[in-house]
Structures are given as structure tokens and as C-alpha cells.
Amino acid sequence: GEPPTPVPVTAPRTSEELKKLSDSALADARSGRLEQAISTWLDILDEVADGGRADVHANLAVAYKMAKNLPAAWHHLTAYLRAAVREDKAAAKELKALEKSLGTGHGKVGPTCQPDGSRVFLEFARGAADPSGKPSGKGTAYACPLTWWFPAGEHEILVVKEGFEPLVLKVTANVRGGTGSFAAVLEGIPAYGRLEVEGSGKAIQVFLNGALEGRVPFGRRLKAGTYELMVGRPGELPWKKTITIEADKTLVERPPSAQPEAAKPDPVGPDGTQPGPGISKPAGAGDRPFPTAQTVLMAGGAAALLAGGIVQYLAYDKNQGLLDKYPPDEMDYQKWLANKDGYKQGFSDSVKPLAYTAYALYGIGGAAVAAGAVWLIVGSGGGEKKDGGTGVTVAPLVAPAGAGLSIGIGW
């Protein structure tokens, strides 16, 4: 197998130091200490000048052949022939002999990688040394693309690059000739930031990109990017803002709709006094009896609206339970993925049906109230309308889940 990857030095070594190390490795190889010699040559390979790198590859090819690691010997002998200044017929002949030996039980595999600059480990550990559970490479890291001789059959290699998720790639070696081609495409590691929505109050909900995520005070670990934030109570005009979450930073928002409000005084009447909490009869309303059919229709609509509000609250409560069961701010990446799938399934099974029922009740109730109001206006017509008499006021109503009309009736 490959010797352990040497720990890189912090400062570049001089040409004299590199020559001494190479001479020491040559002495180790001649004395039979092949692993020590190979480890030294691998350590200095990327630091030696271009003119001396070919000689290091040649030395590694000989050492690996003596250690009976023919695939590694073939790799370094190929690199030597590419880097050599002049033609070396003896080395070319040796390369053909190695290919003949390898061809009886090995297959040639040539993985390619995206992005450029990726490296390949032929050996790796599956999360044994990494607390995050990600695989980590062992031995030498080879530049990709790479051509290698593997024993016939299926194998796994590890492709890595800083800033990207490591990828375990399965390859198959075929002894019938040709080079097996396999592509490794690495995904970038998502960057995360944090959002905190400060405030207090009952049932003040927080929406991100139209989806209910919780209530204030609110805190969540989010992928870096742009979001549409809405904060407010059900049925009220929400506070909206487009926010940007930056990697490794915390964004704090204090929406006015979630902040405590001072008590508002009662309006002052025309005579300078403040009316009491009672409701007075509007002037000019007359003593006409309220139509019974219209009353029933509007009362039924109001009941449907009330039922819709109750069902929406149940949906909200179910969603809060899912958020507690599958916390979205889990720091462990694998647990975060599991929580995301669990929440999505639970939302479809228990929250979405209730939400649809609430919307249906809102639609039925709103239609009934509106129809009763129109019937009331038409049925009470015939006389001149006085200020403060029967009338209808219409205002837009916007909520995080949709829009509608608010109809006020006076008589």
C-alpha cells in the first residue's frame, strides 16, 4: 500500500535541502528501506524544480517496482517519460513490460473530475477520523484527471477539493483492454448564516418565501441567499422585507408588527368627550326591522369564518409540533437532511389538509357574508340614504396566505 501522506512544511525548502533529502532517500532505497525512501520522495516531489522532478518520478518508479506495487510504478514511470528532457528508450521498454504484466489481472481506469484542481485518494476512511462523518483520504492524493491500473472488478475512490463536499466514486476495472472512463462532479459545501426576528406577542407568525416557519421570537440557521420575510398575525396586513443571509453572519430584524405597542386612547367625540365602550345606534338608521333571511345568511358566513380561523390555528399548532420534532436549525448536516425530509412528510400529511380546509371555510364564509350584505342593501333600499344610515364599506384584506376583501355594514 501507499505510505502515509507526509505532513507539509510551513516554509519552502531550499534546493540544497531538497537535494540532501533526495540523496538520503536514495541511500534508504539501496539499504532496503523502501517505505522510508518512497515517503521522502513523495514529500519533496511537488517542491523540486521542473528539471529535477523527472528524476524523482524515475526513482519512485524503481522503488515501487521493488516494493511490488506495479500500478504505482507504472504511474510514476509514465510521469517520468512525460517530464524527461530527452528520449529514454530503456524506460519506454520498461513501461511496456509493466503494462503487459498489469494487463493479465488489472484494468486501466481514467476518472475525470469537476471542478479543476480536484484530487483523488485511492484509499480512504468512511468518517472514522472526521467528527462530521465525512470520508477522509489515506495515503497519497493524486491530481485529477488520473489514469490508474486497478485489479479487475469494482472499486471506490475518494475525490476531494477544498470548499466542496467529498465524493466517493465507484469505478470498474476491465481486463479486456481500453480505459474505463468515469466522471466525478463535486458539489460545493453550502454556506450558512442565521436569521433572528426579535419581538413579542401572541400568534405573530414568521414566513420565509411564503412558507410558515414559526413565530416570534424566531431564530433559524439558513443557507446563504435571498429570502422574502413576512411577519404578522393571521388576517392582518403583514410586514414584508427582502433580506439577504450572508455566510457565517447573523441578521437581526425587528419588524414593527412584532413590537409591543402603547395603549391607544379612545377617539374624542365632537363635544370633546370620550365615548364609553358601548356601541350607539347610528343617526338616521330608523327603526326598520332587520331582515331575518339576511341575518341567517350572514350569521352562517360568520360561523364559517370562525371555523376557518379555528382550523387554521390547528394547522399552525400542528406545524409548531413538527418544527419541535424536526428542528430545522440542527447543526449536524446528516441530521439536518433527515429533519428536513421528516418535516416535509409530516407537513403534507397533517398540516396541509387542515390549511386547505381553512381556506375553503374562509371562501365559503366570506361569500356568505358578502351575499347577505348585498341582499341587505338591496332589500333596505327605496328611501333616501342619510349620513350615518345603512351603508357598506369595502377595504382590501391581505394575509400571508392570500388576499381578499373586508366588508363593513352599518344600519
Side-chain angles (χ1 to χ4, degrees):
E2 297 283 350
T5 303
V7 178
V9 295
T10 56
R13 289 168 283 198
T14 64
S15 57
E16 290 78 8
E17 291 174 324
L18 295 173
K19 186 177 183 307
K20 286 181 180 180
L21 288 171
S22 183
D23 291 342
S24 172
L26 187 59
D28 287 334
R30 288 170 176 169
S31 300
R33 296 186 293 271
L34 294 176
E35 287 191 6
Q36 181 61 38
I38 290 172
S39 178
T40 302
W41 277 319
L42 289 174
D43 180 31
I44 66 174
L45 180 59
D46 291 335
E47 292 188 58
V48 297
D50 292 342
R53 194 167 301 165
D55 293 337
V56 176
H57 277 299
N59 291 338
L60 282 168
V62 174
Y64 273 122
K65 184 180 179 182
M66 293 173 64
K68 302 187 183 304
N69 188 338
L70 298 188
W74 179 91
H75 170 78
H76 287 285
L77 187 56
T78 301
Y80 160 72
L81 289 171
R82 289 174 180 170
V85 177
R86 57 181 63 90
E87 183 181 7
D88 189 333
K89 294 182 179 181
K93 184 177 180 181
E94 177 64 22
L95 183 66
K96 289 183 178 180
L98 283 174
E99 290 179 346
K100 185 176 180 180
S101 298
L102 289 167
T104 58
H106 291 66
K108 194 187 297 186
V109 176
T112 60
C113 307
Q114 293 182 13
D116 294 338
S118 300
R119 300 184 73 81
V120 175
F121 284 97
L122 304 178
E123 298 180 46
F124 61 93
R126 293 184 178 275
D130 191 334
S132 68
K134 297 179 182 179
S136 55
K138 297 170 57 179
T140 303
Y142 295 94
C144 189
L146 171 72
T147 302
W148 198 266
W149 289 86
F150 289 91
E154 291 188 349
H155 303 270
E156 290 184 333
I157 60 176
L158 178 65
V159 184
V160 300
K161 182 176 172 64
E162 186 175 356
F164 292 81
E165 294 284 1
L167 174 66
V168 175
L169 180 66
K170 291 185 177 181
V171 298
T172 302
N174 195 326
V175 297
R176 290 179 294 180
T179 302
S181 180
F182 298 87
V185 180
L186 277 62
E187 295 183 1
I189 297 176
Y192 285 87
R194 184 172 178 82
L195 169 66
E196 293 185 0
V197 181
E198 296 183 350
S200 61
K202 295 183 178 179
I204 301 180
Q205 300 172 333
V206 177
F207 293 78
L208 289 173
N209 294 340
L212 177 62
E213 298 292 345
R215 57 187 175 184
V216 297
F218 175 86
R220 180 70 53 81
R221 179 174 176 259
L222 299 171
K223 283 185 179 181
T226 301
Y227 297 82
E228 184 73 19
L229 172 65
M230 294 194 299
V231 181
R233 291 183 174 85
E236 295 183 356
L237 185 66
W239 175 85
K240 297 183 179 181
K241 184 178 180 181
T242 300
I243 60 172
T244 300
I245 301 298
E246 299 182 37
D248 303 322
K249 292 185 179 180
T250 299
L251 175 64
V252 179
E253 293 289 349
R254 300 177 180 86
S257 58
Q259 306 308 311
E261 296 183 4
K264 296 181 179 179
D266 292 332
V268 179
D271 57 354
T273 62
Q274 292 183 340
I279 302 176
S280 60
K281 182 178 179 181
D287 297 322
R288 294 189 297 270
F290 200 85
T292 303
Q294 292 91 323
T295 304
V296 173
L297 183 59
M298 296 178 66
L305 291 173
L306 177 61
I310 294 173
V311 174
Q312 183 178 8
Y313 179 81
L314 292 175
Y316 171 79
D317 188 65
K318 288 279 188 182
N319 187 69
Q320 287 299 120
L322 289 173
L323 291 173
D324 293 336
K325 185 176 180 180
Y326 304 106
D329 53 353
E330 172 62 50
M331 298 302 293
D332 183 276
Y333 183 71
Q334 297 298 329
K335 291 182 179 179
W336 178 83
L337 285 177
N339 286 353
K340 180 181 178 183
D341 293 339
Y343 173 82
K344 184 177 180 181
Q345 183 63 43
F347 186 91
S348 297
D349 293 342
S350 60
V351 179
K352 189 179 290 186
L354 292 174
Y356 285 165
T357 302
Y359 298 152
L361 289 171
Y362 285 150
I364 295 171
V369 171
V374 172
W375 191 359
L376 172 65
I377 297 168
V378 174
S380 61
E384 182 182 355
K385 180 182 178 298
K386 301 179 182 179
D387 293 340
T390 301
V392 178
T393 58
V394 181
L397 177 64
V398 181
L405 293 177
S406 172
I407 303 177
I409 306 171
W411 60 90

